[in-house]
Amino acid sequence: MKQISACTMDCPDACSLVVTQADGEEAILRGNPDHPFTAGFTCKKIRRHIRRLRNPNRILQPIRRDGAGWRVISWDEALDICAEKIQKFRSEPESILHIPSDGAKGVLKEGVKYFFGLLGASRTRGSLCDAAGYMAYIHDYGSRKQNTARDLLNAGAIVNWGKDLSRSSIHVASLVRKARKNGTHVISISPGGDGNGDFSDHLIRIRPGTDRFLAAAVIRRFIESNRISPDILSRTRHWDSFRKAILNRTEDQLARTCEISAEDVQRLFEAYRSESPTAAIVGGGLQRYRYGGENVRYINALTLISGNMGRSGGGSYFHLHSMGNFNLDWAKAPAGKPRRFLLKPTIGREILGAKNPEIQMIWINGGNIVNQAADSKTIARAFEKAPFKVVVDAFMTDTAERADLILPSTLMLEQEDIIASFLHDYIQYVPAVLDPPGEARDDFSIVADLGKRLDPPIRMPDREDCFRFSLKTDLLDTTLEELRSKGSVQADKPEIAYADLQFDHPDGMARFPTGLHDEPDPPADYPLRLLTLVRREAIHSQMLPEDQEHPPVVRVSPDNPAMNALNPAQSAFLVSPIGRLLVEVEALPQFHSGAVLYRRGDWMKLGGGANQLIEAGLTDLGNGAAFYDQYVRLENSQSPPEPTKPDPGK
Ligand SMILES: Nc1nc2c(c(=O)[nH]1)NC1C(S)=C(S)[C@@H](COP(=O)(O)OP(=O)(O)OC[C@H]3O[C@@H](n4cnc5c(=O)[nH]c(N)nc54)[C@H](O)[C@@H]3O)O[C@H]1N2
Ligand SMILES: Nc1nc2c(c(=O)[nH]1)N[C@H]1C(S)=C(S)[C@@H](COP(=O)(O)OP(=O)(O)OC[C@H]3O[C@@H](n4cnc5c(=O)[nH]c(N)nc54)[C@H](O)[C@@H]3O)O[C@H]1N2
Ligand SMILES: [Mo]
């Protein structure tokens, strides 16, 4: 068998895949050499996917909590129980909470949202991912657009503001590498200790959370040297208050706040003022702080005043809307039905605080919220309080552990869908190329079947109609038949975003931020910033139990004062005001000395789970999760408990 499918992971690259399978052998996945963006290569996560599908810990039948254990039940029984509960709460639908996430992407996943929208259930708002950065673009430009990714090849210089090119997007990394071979100068700014050295001509180590001050210091040089074109300023609003906010501080103050040398400010100034275009890549990391939105807005302002917006080889790259090329009107809840929203980044508190009505039932699909949202223990407590929880997943995650009913989900390559990307402009057909194992079913068919059991029933649209409707947009000139046969179709978007400095606010102008917020000092007793960054070999918490380290490894600079204070003969604990975790400490040269690096995604039940230590807080824009705002300390314990390796089984 040889078929084209696509990767549905929550990852920008959305790779086109060639799946081959010889008789009696396991399938092999490769990057599609004929796909213009995938260009024949994919990442380590893909290489590990089949192993995940075949893992013996996979849940293959519906299971219901039974005392301290679980009992296998039939799909009929499982869906009847769900229907009975929904029926019971239907007159007060806001007592049902739907928490979706992007375990697998695709337009049919929107169908689950539609189902709960028709019920009028409570839903989540805000994001664990990129909301602060996303809203920064909306504030600045009125929309979130970017030059086509390949235009990075036209850049004279690329300034990489905090994207880990060695981990989070193999195709952005490849474009940067190619550009560099052609002479593009690459400067990467981050707290260090990442894999950007191989992709950069110069590395700048910044104090975590303070990029806005570095951007402000460079903008200050543009102001002082009178290098800002009046033509650009005429396309903007709020210049006076923005200028004042910057000039209120000396360059020295700005540079000291972000711990950057005058030479590095000069280096960036030179990159941005050069005749040739300079592109900015904005990573997800620097917007996961209290002032994360402002960090991105200052970087955008620098791109704009330096003449790099609306220009080939320039621009500011973040995340596109991954569903932006589809028409999802079919999945909208009916107008006029009031919905209650609970904030995702603070979901534990939100559920506990929900009144009139209280939350009685929770439905989770495609997410591991107990593990992936901050303050895991409060979320766990909130789940205990809610009487009935359904988790649709394939593994006994930290969230599934707390369910009353687990429905076994199909996974990537076992379910049909269509997807887009938050990096490139291709939409792709994703046929199911592997048989679902056991009794696993896809999310859409689960709610479609459940809907029929309600009285009155909820009738889900036909899935072919969902596909067809999703393709009905001016951006796509295709049919479902064509998409199926070609595998991939490019959306019709301008190559250059905001050409002629035409922005998407009603007046066509861009906006500057009007203030500059100080970065608070660390609280007493917790001197180190906890950076919980992506890991190369897995997407979020989608790790197999046997691949997890016990205890989790954290990394600090050899210059970190905590390193000297620790006794290597004793166990070390990572401690925040809300928890402590047994860890192994390793040295990471080049990493900022005021931070601790934790590669996120390992499971609480296996001794990991950084979100147990992170207080639930919001970013300044977009109701994002301010994960990296957390301060911690490292300490020894006089009487350490013996690390035990918990049972990874179901
Ligand atoms: N501390 C900290 N936490 C973070 C972040 C951080 O920076 N720091 N950043 C975060 C970011 S960027 C993100 S995007 C979020 C991610 O948060 P989540 O979306 O909750 O992340 P995953 O761990 O990928 O959980 C997806 C789950 O869906 C399951 N799954 C896969 N495919 C399917 C399917 O088709 N159907 C169903 N029903 N289930 C499926 C998987 O087995 C997995 O358990 O969390 C973040 N959490
Ligand atoms: N392998 C793998 N790839 C993934 C994912 C995954 O889980 N695994 N997740 C996907 C998803 S949903 C997302 S949102 C993206 C996230 O991908 P990235 O945007 O790369 O996210 P992070 O790893 O959270 O942070 C990236 C970098 O931000 C830097 N950083 C942290 N704080 C600061 C700061 O204050 N200033 C600056 N300049 N830099 C800072 C860190 O050095 C870190 O290496 O990756 C996607 N790709
Ligand atoms: Mo994300």
Side-chain angles (χ1 to χ4, degrees):
M1 173 270 275
K2 180 176 174 187
Q3 258 184 291
I4 303 294
S5 193
C7 177
T8 57
M9 283 186 212
D10 184 10
C11 171
D13 297 46
C15 294
S16 173
L17 302 176
V18 180
V19 186
T20 48
Q21 189 166 29
D23 274 351
E25 304 219 346
E26 194 44 281
I28 297 170
L29 315 182
R30 290 202 186 84
N32 181 357
D34 300 324
H35 191 275
F37 199 81
T38 302
F41 60 94
T42 60
C43 72
K44 271 196 173 159
K45 306 196 288 298
I46 286 295
R47 272 171 265 169
R48 290 177 161 226
H49 184 66
I50 296 288
R51 213 177 124 233
R52 182 171 160 79
L53 296 183
R54 307 292 178 233
N55 191 267
N57 288 308
R58 200 164 156 185
I59 300 169
L60 297 174
Q61 288 161 304
I63 51 177
R64 186 180 190 183
R65 183 171 295 288
D66 186 1
W70 296 92
R71 182 166 58 85
V72 173
I73 59 174
S74 68
W75 269 107
D76 267 339
E77 192 183 341
L79 293 178
D80 281 345
I81 296 168
C82 295
E84 180 197 316
K85 298 284 182 188
I86 290 177
Q87 211 61 34
K88 183 167 154 198
F89 303 127
R90 205 170 178 181
S91 57
E92 251 186 343
E94 288 173 326
S95 63
I96 303 171
L97 170 64
H98 179 217
I99 310 180
S101 193
D102 286 328
K105 286 186 173 282
V107 303
L108 288 184
K109 303 296 177 195
E110 300 299 310
V112 188
K113 297 180 195 165
Y114 176 62
F115 175 89
F116 286 98
L118 290 178
L119 277 174
S122 295
R123 52 168 294 182
T124 56
R125 191 169 62 175
S127 137
L128 305 181
C129 178
D130 59 1
Y134 166 25
M135 283 312 292
Y137 283 77
I138 303 290
H139 278 266
D140 293 337
Y141 310 136
S143 64
R144 173 171 46 158
K145 294 181 180 165
Q146 61 193 38
N147 293 5
T148 187
R150 289 190 63 81
D151 191 58
L152 276 171
L153 298 175
N154 298 322
I158 294 174
V159 181
N160 168 21
W161 296 83
K163 189 158 187 78
D164 187 342
L165 293 169
S166 78
R167 287 187 176 79
S168 70
S169 168
I170 194 170
H171 287 90
V172 172
S174 153
L175 284 168
V176 171
R177 187 182 281 126
K178 223 183 251 168
R180 229 176 128 222
K181 262 200 196 132
N182 296 339
T184 303
H185 186 72
V186 179
I187 301 176
S188 286
I189 303 162
S190 78
D194 46 35
N196 282 334
D198 292 343
F199 297 90
S200 313
D201 297 290
H202 185 72
L203 298 174
I204 296 181
R205 186 168 60 209
I206 192 164
R207 175 184 165 209
T210 62
D211 294 71
R212 61 192 180 282
F213 297 95
L214 177 53
V218 182
I219 294 168
R220 206 177 190 290
R221 290 221 174 175
F222 273 91
I223 297 173
E224 298 244 288
S225 58
N226 253 327
R227 278 181 173 273
I228 307 175
S229 149
D231 291 345
I232 293 175
L233 294 183
S234 73
R235 301 296 311 145
T236 67
R237 296 238 184 274
H238 310 317
W239 170 247
D240 283 344
S241 33
F242 179 59
R243 184 173 172 274
K244 243 183 238 148
I246 290 180
L247 294 178
N248 255 343
R249 292 164 169 88
T250 64
E251 182 185 308
D252 188 48
Q253 280 170 334
L254 293 167
R256 259 191 293 128
T257 306
C258 53
E259 301 176 3
I260 303 292
S261 66
E263 293 76 54
D264 277 341
V265 174
Q266 176 65 21
R267 202 184 291 267
L268 276 176
F269 179 50
E270 279 166 17
Y272 274 98
R273 78 168 179 198
S274 133
E275 284 292 308
S276 61
T278 297
I281 297 177
V282 180
L286 56 85
Q287 49 100 56
R288 294 194 187 112
Y289 294 89
R290 178 156 167 215
Y291 296 113
E294 197 168 280
N295 282 336
V296 177
R297 294 200 68 191
Y298 270 76
I299 295 168
N300 282 347
L302 174 54
T303 309
L304 178 59
I305 60 107
S306 61
N308 284 296
M309 280 311 291
R311 173 182 191 191
S312 175
S316 180
Y317 292 86
F318 181 55
H319 298 167
L320 295 168
H321 186 337
S322 59
M323 288 287 161
N325 290 331
F326 291 122
N327 179 352
L328 296 178
D329 284 352
W330 63 269
K332 277 192 184 144
K337 249 198 181 174
R339 302 283 301 272
R340 175 165 69 180
F341 294 95
L342 303 191
L343 290 172
K344 210 171 188 185
T346 54
I347 193 72
R349 280 206 304 269
E350 293 269 297
I351 294 172
L352 288 170
K355 296 271 172 328
N356 301 323
E358 294 185 10
I359 300 298
Q360 303 290 347
M361 173 173 175
I362 307 177
W363 183 285
I364 293 148
N365 62 291
N368 184 6
I369 187 117
V370 172
N371 180 284
Q372 289 289 292
D375 196 356
S376 300
K377 286 189 180 135
T378 300
I379 306 173
R381 245 187 330 117
F383 272 47
E384 259 166 46
K385 197 181 149 226
F388 186 66
K389 288 89 52 184
V390 182
V391 172
V392 189
D393 206 313
F395 289 94
M396 190 54 87
T397 64
D398 290 328
T399 306
E401 288 274 356
R402 288 163 176 85
D404 300 286
L405 180 64
I406 302 176
L407 304 178
S409 154
T410 46
L411 295 173
M412 178 168 113
L413 301 182
E414 300 166 349
Q415 48 195 5
E416 183 191 27
D417 218 320
I418 56 177
I419 56 159
S421 151
F422 57 101
L423 167 64
H424 59 72
D425 280 333
Y426 294 88
I427 61 155
Q428 301 183 72
Y429 176 57
V430 189
V433 292
L434 302 174
D435 291 334
E439 297 177 21
R441 293 177 62 175
D442 70 89
D443 294 281
F444 189 91
S445 71
I446 294 172
V447 293
D449 197 347
L450 175 55
K452 288 184 203 149
R453 292 164 198 253
L454 299 174
D455 180 21
I458 287 185
R459 290 192 206 289
M460 290 293 288
D462 181 72
R463 56 170 73 210
E464 294 280 302
D465 291 340
C466 297
F467 290 147
R468 282 183 213 289
F469 205 100
S470 300
L471 300 178
K472 276 193 189 151
T473 133
D474 292 346
L475 298 170
L476 297 171
D477 180 17
T478 191
T479 60
L480 182 56
E481 288 66 31
E482 187 191 51
L483 180 62
R484 278 200 169 117
S485 78
K486 284 189 173 169
S488 163
V489 168
Q490 190 173 16
D492 182 18
K493 295 261 195 69
E495 299 262 296
I496 304 305
Y498 313 115
D500 303 322
L501 300 187
Q502 276 305 320
F503 296 98
D504 284 335
H505 284 298
D507 60 5
M509 309 279 195
R511 305 282 189 274
F512 291 115
T514 52
L516 176 56
H517 287 88
D518 286 328
E519 186 63 19
D521 290 331
D525 301 333
Y526 298 98
L528 306 175
R529 216 136 200 186
L530 177 61
L531 303 188
T532 42
L533 309 180
V534 288
R535 61 176 69 228
R536 187 172 286 123
E537 64 285 357
I539 187 102
H540 309 308
S541 73
Q542 301 191 39
M543 302 175 70
L544 292 175
E546 55 268 34
D547 293 339
Q548 305 193 26
E549 290 158 326
H550 312 274
V553 175
V554 299
R555 294 179 172 84
V556 295
S557 156
D559 305 329
N560 193 316
M563 201 60 167
N564 291 330
L566 286 175
N567 178 350
Q570 285 184 355
S571 303
F573 288 86
L574 186 64
V575 183
S576 84
I578 62 166
R580 52 198 273 118
L581 204 59
L582 177 71
V583 293
E584 191 111 351
V585 184
E586 282 183 6
L588 179 63
Q590 317 300 327
F591 188 51
H592 190 273
S593 61
V596 181
L597 192 159
Y598 189 124
R599 296 250 164 242
R600 66 180 182 253
D602 54 356
W603 298 4
M604 276 162 79
K605 68 181 213 183
L606 302 180
N611 279 318
Q612 293 175 81
L613 305 184
I614 299 179
E615 292 159 278
L618 296 173
T619 53
D620 53 350
L621 298 178
N623 291 315
F627 293 112
Y628 305 174
D629 237 27
Q630 187 63 50
Y631 282 99
V632 293
R633 66 169 178 262
L634 279 163
E635 66 184 29
N636 290 123
S637 160
Q638 294 310 311
S639 51
E642 272 304 302
T644 50
K645 192 171 172 166
D647 173 16
K650 291 185 197 169

